[in-house]
Amino acid sequence: MAAAMKVVCMMFLVAIFHKHHAHGAISADTQKLIDEANMNGPYLGLLIPNLFEMNPLLQHPNYTSTNFTIDIAGRRFRFGKIVEKNVILVMTGLSMRYGYGPSDELPLEPNGDYTRNIGYIKFADYAENVTACNLHDNLLNNVWFQPEEVFPVDGTPEQRQHAFWIPVDPLYFNISKSLEDMELENCVNATTCLDETPRVVQVHRGTSAGIYVDNAAYRSFIYKKFNVSPVDMESAAVALICMQQRVPFIIIRALSDLAGGGSAESNEIDTFISLASNNSVNVVVEFIKRLVSDH
């Protein structure tokens, strides 16, 4: 699989937003802010999971804050510029997290990102016959992969379309190819470094799971079945919305581990989250630089 980096998972979804009129149950003051923002568009939208990954961008020398924000439905939309390109930043939140059991602390749990207070499921507990389970079957039945139902913004209402693969924008994809020559950071500090230097890799297929994947057998299955290299927790949901809204996008991620293909201690999020965040921000900024210079 094309995921040789061992750094924390991070998403920057880059999409372009054009001027439009917002409608809905919002206050008059908020509507005025939206109208003001629309007058200064279009924007590149950067969707980021949490503050660990947003703060390095806010502090990056190529990012300029306009100190203009819009708060809607619990989310803050931050407006700024990256190399003179108008951008909007917003946090998406994180997906579910894999863990070993009640006594094992989850990665990022001390920071309040994850909790063991609600409960967990251990699939092995649901085997049909534990003493004679030659086929490793279980009582959870089978899952059939299905295309998503999409109702495009420019389509006929209530007439659905089906989508299993969602293509990224061709222009963005071509620009991302040129990023493979970038040099990324390798060390958190003078004594803590990765065994291998992270690198930018352009992949042809990725997927999202509702939970954190740390399973070598499943990793091998999706690679052989669908030719999928990286698997993350958030990208597909946002990609579907971009497809529905006909908004061009690309996903830029820093990978945390080998999805079960590494050592038992391969998930080192707590140690390398700052390294991953910095590398991801640098790649996104460089992407926007090349987007601006090419157009």
Side-chain angles (χ1 to χ4, degrees), residues 38-218:
N38 285 335
M39 292 178 63
N40 297 318
Y43 303 88
L44 284 177
L46 305 184
L47 281 68
I48 309 166
N50 58 23
L51 282 175
F52 280 114
E53 300 159 358
M54 179 176 286
N55 285 334
L57 180 56
L58 297 178
Q59 299 162 7
H60 196 280
N62 286 114
Y63 173 75
T64 303
S65 173
T66 62
N67 295 318
F68 180 75
T69 62
I70 301 178
D71 295 341
I72 302 177
R75 297 191 185 275
R76 172 159 294 175
F77 294 80
R78 302 170 182 263
F79 292 75
K81 289 181 178 291
I82 296 179
V83 289
E84 301 307 314
K85 190 73 173 180
N86 291 330
V87 297
I88 307 175
L89 316 182
V90 65
M91 286 198 300
T92 64
L94 297 168
S95 187
M96 291 187 288
R97 168 63 63 181
Y98 167 86
Y100 288 100
S103 61
D104 295 290
E105 186 177 85
L106 297 172
L108 301 183
E109 182 180 342
N111 302 304
D113 288 290
Y114 294 102
T115 179
R116 286 170 287 161
N117 294 332
I118 298 174
Y120 74 104
I121 180 172
K122 183 178 181 181
F123 293 107
D125 292 341
Y126 295 88
E128 290 183 334
N129 189 337
V130 176
T131 59
C133 191
N134 294 328
L135 297 179
H136 304 286
D137 208 351
N138 60 66
L139 298 178
L140 297 178
N141 212 310
N142 300 300
V143 173
W144 288 89
F145 291 88
Q146 300 291 326
E148 293 286 344
E149 294 184 357
V150 180
F151 296 86
V153 66
D154 56 358
T156 301
E158 298 185 346
Q159 288 192 8
R160 65 186 180 182
Q161 295 182 11
H162 288 96
F164 192 74
W165 299 113
I166 304 174
V168 301
D169 181 72
L171 170 63
Y172 292 177
F173 190 71
N174 289 334
I175 294 175
S176 70
K177 179 68 176 178
S178 69
L179 300 175
E180 294 185 343
D181 61 0
M182 285 189 62
E183 294 185 5
L184 302 181
E185 299 176 20
N186 189 52
C187 297
V188 177
N189 51 48
T191 59
T192 306
C193 298
L194 294 169
D195 295 334
E196 299 179 39
T197 301
R199 57 194 177 93
V200 179
V201 177
Q202 188 186 58
V203 300
H204 293 282
R205 282 183 176 178
T207 188
S208 291
I211 59 175
Y212 182 86
V213 175
D214 191 10
N215 186 298
Y218 182 73

Side-chain angles (χ1 to χ4, degrees), residues 211-227:
I211 59 175
Y212 182 86
V213 175
D214 191 10
N215 186 298
Y218 182 73
R219 183 191 79 153
S220 298
F221 164 75
I222 59 175
Y223 181 72
K224 293 177 181 178
K225 184 72 174 180
F226 302 115
N227 193 28

Side-chain angles (χ1 to χ4, degrees), residues 247-267:
V247 174
F249 75 96
I250 192 167
I251 306 292
I252 298 174
R253 306 214 59 141
L255 303 182
S256 62
D257 52 66
L258 298 179
S263 68
E265 302 298 328
S266 63
N267 187 5

